[in-house]
Amino acid sequence: MKPDLLWEDFCLFLRCVRYSLQTRLNSWLARFEIGKGFLVDFLLARRGTYSRPFLHLSLAVLIGVGLVVAPVVATAYPGVQDEISTFTPPSAVLGALTTATNETSTLISDKPRDQVISYKVQKGDTLGAIAEKFGVSIDTIKWANLNLTGGVEHLSIGQEIKIPPVTGIVHKVRAGETIYSLAKYYKTDAQKILNFPFNDFADLDTFALNIGQSLIIPDGVMPEARPIATSMPAKEYAGGTGELIWPVGGSITQRPVWYHMALDIADSSAPGIAAASSGKVILVERQRYAYGWHIIVDHGLGLSTLYAHLSDIYVEAGQTVSRGQIIGKMGSTGRSTGTHLHFEVHKNGVAVNPFSFLK
């Protein structure tokens, strides 16, 4: 047979095969479309009946795929399995803590007194001994007990007397009174009234008082009594280690007490504030309340200083400052009634008496 004829026969065979396959495929697709149409019509008609089984079947399929794939993932990433096997549930941690602390004892700390308390006189008590026991002055107890029959000059066993939380006056606020008028009347500083942490105010912006409230007036005295000498030049105080220098000159209007472990140094001319020692500025904040505009300088070895109520700040957080460098300006921002510096010294995060470090 000639090659040309053979090639023509082969091409004809291929065309016949293609036609046959195409015809069969078209026929199958036609039957598939007819069957799909019946299925869709059936499902649409019964979609409410079979929706729940369909969802359940889908979920079962997903779970089955997860079970098949999980071993493959665990084999490919063995570290994941190790982390899961070493995970300790929170309940076990809490259980361990509970077990570990079963044999510990509770330390009860002395809570600072925030209000007037009643004390029953015991055998052997004297007015001076009671005053020393509670850390207040004798006059403070006398002024708090003016309405007692016989006063407190002649104590009797079982007699109840009032003990204020600090040396000073306990005053019941009347209409029109302010912390400024009361500070003047009782010969003390308005800032001390603010510094007592348990005094409440109707308005934190104006420090307005609520009529009828009991107000603690630290270092206050009765009008006929001599005022307590609390405003003294800074240079009058000395005897510390000398690690820190005085940050500013002026009059000390409040010395360190348990509720105000700091120095308040006042000067109406609002002088510059110096860093008490070289160090790094770790905080600069401009608050509306509390410390107001203030700076904290870290001097290393657990020692840091805080300068509060500033009217201007000349440094930024992260900046290194030298001993005596002016870092801000005295002011009256935040919880303040007048131009002064609130100066704190912290040792290992705890406020301590600044006099121990000032030369």
Side-chain angles (χ1 to χ4, degrees):
M1 183 178 292
K2 294 182 179 180
D4 294 340
L5 295 176
L6 183 61
W7 175 251
E8 289 178 1
D9 290 340
F10 180 71
C11 290
L12 179 62
F13 172 75
L14 291 178
R15 285 196 294 272
C16 290
V17 172
R18 185 184 68 180
Y19 177 75
S20 176
L21 292 176
Q22 186 174 0
T23 301
R24 289 176 182 275
L25 180 62
N26 289 338
S27 176
W28 182 83
L29 289 174
R31 287 195 296 272
F32 175 77
E33 288 294 331
I34 293 172
K36 186 182 74 173
F38 283 119
L39 179 62
V40 169
D41 292 340
F42 175 77
L43 292 176
L44 287 175
R46 305 298 300 276
R47 62 179 179 266
T49 304
Y50 295 102
S51 60
R52 187 184 297 267
F54 178 76
L55 291 174
H56 291 171
L57 178 62
S58 301
L59 181 60
V61 171
L62 290 175
I63 294 174
V65 172
L67 293 175
V68 173
V69 173
V72 179
V73 174
T75 304
Y77 302 97
V80 175
Q81 184 66 27
D82 294 339
E83 292 176 5
I84 294 175
S85 63
T86 58
F87 172 71
T88 304
S91 58
V93 175
L94 293 176
L97 288 175
T98 303
T99 303
T101 56
N102 279 341
E103 299 181 358
T104 59
S105 59
T106 302
L107 295 177
I108 302 176
S109 59
D110 293 331
K111 179 184 176 182
R113 291 193 295 115
D114 59 348
Q115 56 190 348
V116 178
I117 62 172
S118 293
Y119 174 75
K120 284 188 177 182
V121 177
Q122 302 175 11
K123 184 178 180 180
D125 275 342
T126 64
L127 195 57
I130 296 174
E132 184 177 357
K133 179 178 180 179
F134 289 98
V136 297
S137 69
I138 295 176
D139 283 338
T140 296
I141 299 178
K142 288 181 178 180
W143 295 327
N145 295 274
L146 294 177
N147 296 329
L148 286 180
T149 303
V152 292
E153 295 298 339
H154 303 89
L155 299 175
S156 58
I157 297 176
Q159 179 183 8
E160 285 197 5
I161 59 175
K162 298 176 181 179
I163 310 293
V166 295
T167 292
I169 298 291
V170 180
H171 178 83
K172 196 165 187 177
V173 176
R174 296 186 290 268
E177 292 180 330
T178 67
I179 60 172
Y180 304 99
S181 64
L182 291 174
K184 183 178 180 180
Y185 182 77
Y186 290 116
K187 305 175 185 177
T188 187
D189 194 291
Q191 185 64 42
K192 293 184 179 182
I193 302 176
L194 282 186
N195 287 343
F196 189 73
F198 302 108
N199 279 333
D200 293 325
F201 300 95
D203 189 328
L204 291 177
D205 286 322
T206 62
F207 309 122
L209 301 171
N210 293 300
I211 297 175
Q213 77 173 92
S214 290
L215 191 72
I216 305 298
I217 305 177
D219 292 334
V221 297
M222 285 299 180
E224 65 277 8
R226 295 179 58 187
I228 298 174
T230 57
S231 180
M232 300 180 68
K235 63 181 180 180
E236 299 267 339
Y237 297 89
T241 62
E243 292 181 61
L244 304 175
I245 63 172
W246 287 88
V248 70
S251 297
I252 294 178
T253 54
Q254 184 158 14
R255 290 165 286 182
V257 289
W258 61 264
Y259 61 87
H260 181 265
M261 192 51 62
L263 283 175
D264 281 355
I265 307 173
D267 187 334
S268 59
S269 65
I273 304 300
S277 186
S278 58
K280 183 179 181 180
V281 178
I282 58 173
L283 181 70
V284 171
E285 283 199 7
R286 295 172 172 83
Q287 294 179 334
R288 184 178 178 186
Y289 301 115
Y291 288 129
W293 288 27
H294 64 282
I295 302 168
I296 297 179
V297 179
D298 182 11
H299 306 291
L301 300 177
L303 186 66
S304 62
T305 50
L306 181 147
Y307 313 79
H309 305 310
L310 305 178
S311 62
D312 204 353
I313 295 175
Y314 306 141
V315 293
E316 298 178 355
Q319 180 178 338
T320 299
V321 296
S322 58
R323 184 181 180 95
Q325 178 180 337
I326 301 300
I327 58 177
K329 184 179 181 181
M330 188 183 289
S332 185
T333 57
R335 192 181 175 96
S336 172
T337 61
T339 303
H340 76 288
L341 171 69
H342 175 94
F343 178 66
E344 291 184 14
V345 176
H346 291 236
K347 186 66 176 180
N348 296 324
V350 179
V352 294
N353 193 328
F355 287 136
S356 300
F357 298 87
L358 295 167
K359 67 177 181 178

